[in-house]
Amino acid sequence: MASPSVAKMPTTTNEVAVSITGMHKWYGEFHVLKDINLTVHRGERIVICGPSGSGKSTMIRCINRLEEHQQGKIVVDGIELTNDLKKIDEIRREVGMVFQHFNLFPHLTILENCTLAPIWVKKMPKKDAEEVAMHYLKRVRIPEQAMKYPGQLSGGQQQRVAIARALCMSPKIMLFDEPTSALDPEMVKEVLDTMVGLAEEGMTMLCVTHEMGFARQVANRVIFMDYGQIIEMNEPAAFFSNPQHERTKLFLSQIL
Ligand code: ADP
Ligand code: MG
């Protein structure tokens, strides 16, 4: 990757951004997340990896209540996630999410995709929302695509729009769920570079990804999940050079 090494990454703080304690989740009878404990400090960048089906998506989706947990506690920026819809709304405003399949609205232009939530959720005047959107489209380096529709853009460009769209809500925390795994290989780098840029600016990030170069470059900690549990968590250098658990070793031998 052309971009900088870990040394350039901003330092983290002691302020807690996300705290998950003793969290369990079931899908019907299926116990998908088992006793998840994780504290993420403001400015930290966490990479989550693990085999398919291990619960990575479910775990990060619980943080903005796209999935509901049944036991334990999740606190985001000081707000506990309960059934209180007002609190769920509040949390969703602070947490941006980028999915594997972009999830842009196909019938709206790139600019409209980016201004929709600021106008309807934040009640921002249209003109201001457009200004903010153009700012972030410039930042992901595709302002010239603003008037096009998602279908006219490459996968890498669409994913950068998805990142810009999330940033338009001024999130304090960004969740990424395998943002590059649906992309053609030549487009992976442009999306990862955008994410590295966000990390350099101090964004708190939880990223499910198997891009281990990215993990080495930006992560404070790498988490390995298997069968619904956090099996191992360490800083990247130690995680890759000296994994503690057999399952982590096996997984790394398969992907590296
Ligand atoms: P990962 O992201 O690590 O691949 P997921 O969180 O998507 O894992 O899924 C974890 C497990 O939960 C898998 O066995 C998956 O089949 C199951 N699962 C995911 N979503 C649902 C759902 N909505 N209903 C029932 N089971 C689900
Ligand atoms: Mg997943």
Side-chain angles (χ1 to χ4, degrees), residues 145-169:
Q145 309 292 341
M147 295 306 159
K148 292 191 184 163
Y149 288 86
Q152 297 172 283
L153 272 58
S154 73
Q157 290 174 325
Q158 288 188 58
Q159 192 60 299
R160 285 188 280 150
V161 171
I163 294 171
R165 177 178 64 173
L167 294 175
C168 286
M169 291 292 284

Side-chain angles (χ1 to χ4, degrees), residues 4-256:
S5 61
V6 181
K8 262 202 162 177
M9 290 294 151
T11 49
T12 61
T13 67
N14 285 329
E15 221 177 303
V16 174
V18 179
S19 133
I20 304 178
T21 33
M23 192 263 275
H24 293 255
K25 171 168 180 61
W26 287 262
Y27 285 123
E29 299 279 289
F30 177 54
H31 196 176
V32 59
L33 293 176
K34 301 163 191 159
D35 194 25
I36 301 291
N37 293 284
L38 175 66
T39 302
V40 184
H41 294 103
R42 196 164 299 296
E44 263 202 299
R45 306 160 298 273
I46 310 281
V47 161
I48 301 155
C49 63
S52 178
S54 56
K56 306 179 297 297
S57 295
T58 305
M59 185 174 85
I60 64 164
R61 290 166 66 89
C62 282
I63 295 172
N64 63 353
R65 220 0 118 102
L66 290 179
E67 297 291 351
E68 188 181 337
H69 64 288
Q70 280 85 37
Q71 207 177 300
K73 199 167 167 178
I74 303 178
V75 180
V76 183
D77 201 37
I79 308 164
E80 183 176 353
L81 261 178
T82 60
N83 286 329
D84 184 337
L85 292 178
K86 248 182 86 189
K87 288 188 175 169
I88 292 174
D89 264 1
E90 237 177 285
I91 285 174
R92 287 192 181 150
R93 282 179 204 208
E94 304 201 348
V95 180
M97 181 142 187
V98 174
F99 304 87
Q100 184 175 357
H101 294 290
F102 330 139
N103 299 10
L104 299 174
F105 295 107
H107 60 290
L108 299 180
T109 65
I110 298 310
L111 188 64
E112 287 165 346
N113 265 279
C114 291
T115 57
L116 192 68
I119 290 172
W120 291 102
V121 179
K122 281 206 163 171
K123 312 289 177 210
M124 205 185 269
K126 185 166 175 240
K127 202 169 150 285
D128 296 355
E130 288 180 348
E131 227 166 82
V132 171
M134 288 312 297
H135 168 80
Y136 287 112
L137 288 171
K138 276 181 200 145
R139 192 155 131 196
V140 301
R141 299 197 312 279
I142 38 174
E144 72 284 357
Q145 309 292 341
M147 295 306 159
K148 292 191 184 163
Y149 288 86
Q152 297 172 283
L153 272 58
S154 73
Q157 290 174 325
Q158 288 188 58
Q159 192 60 299
R160 285 188 280 150
V161 171
I163 294 171
R165 177 178 64 173
L167 294 175
C168 286
M169 291 292 284
S170 313
K172 292 186 179 163
I173 299 161
M174 285 285 286
L175 308 176
F176 293 87
D177 193 357
E178 303 207 35
T180 59
S181 50
L183 298 177
D184 291 331
E186 71 272 21
M187 290 166 193
V188 169
K189 185 176 177 300
E190 66 190 47
V191 171
L192 290 179
D193 282 350
T194 306
M195 293 167 65
V196 170
L198 267 185
E200 285 172 338
E201 285 165 29
M203 180 62 83
T204 307
M205 299 164 71
L206 281 95
C207 313
V208 176
T209 181
H210 292 157
E211 293 290 339
M212 293 300 137
F214 173 79
R216 282 177 194 274
Q217 193 183 0
V218 314
N220 303 94
R221 284 183 286 162
V222 184
I223 288 175
F224 174 72
M225 286 184 74
D226 203 8
Y227 295 107
Q229 287 176 301
I230 294 179
I231 302 291
E232 189 156 349
M233 172 153 58
N234 214 334
E235 54 153 40
F239 181 85
F240 291 113
S241 65
N242 190 20
Q244 299 297 302
H245 292 264
E246 286 309 317
R247 281 191 263 171
T248 318
K249 289 179 194 169
L250 178 65
F251 177 75
L252 289 175
S253 73
Q254 286 162 344
I255 63 156
L256 289 178

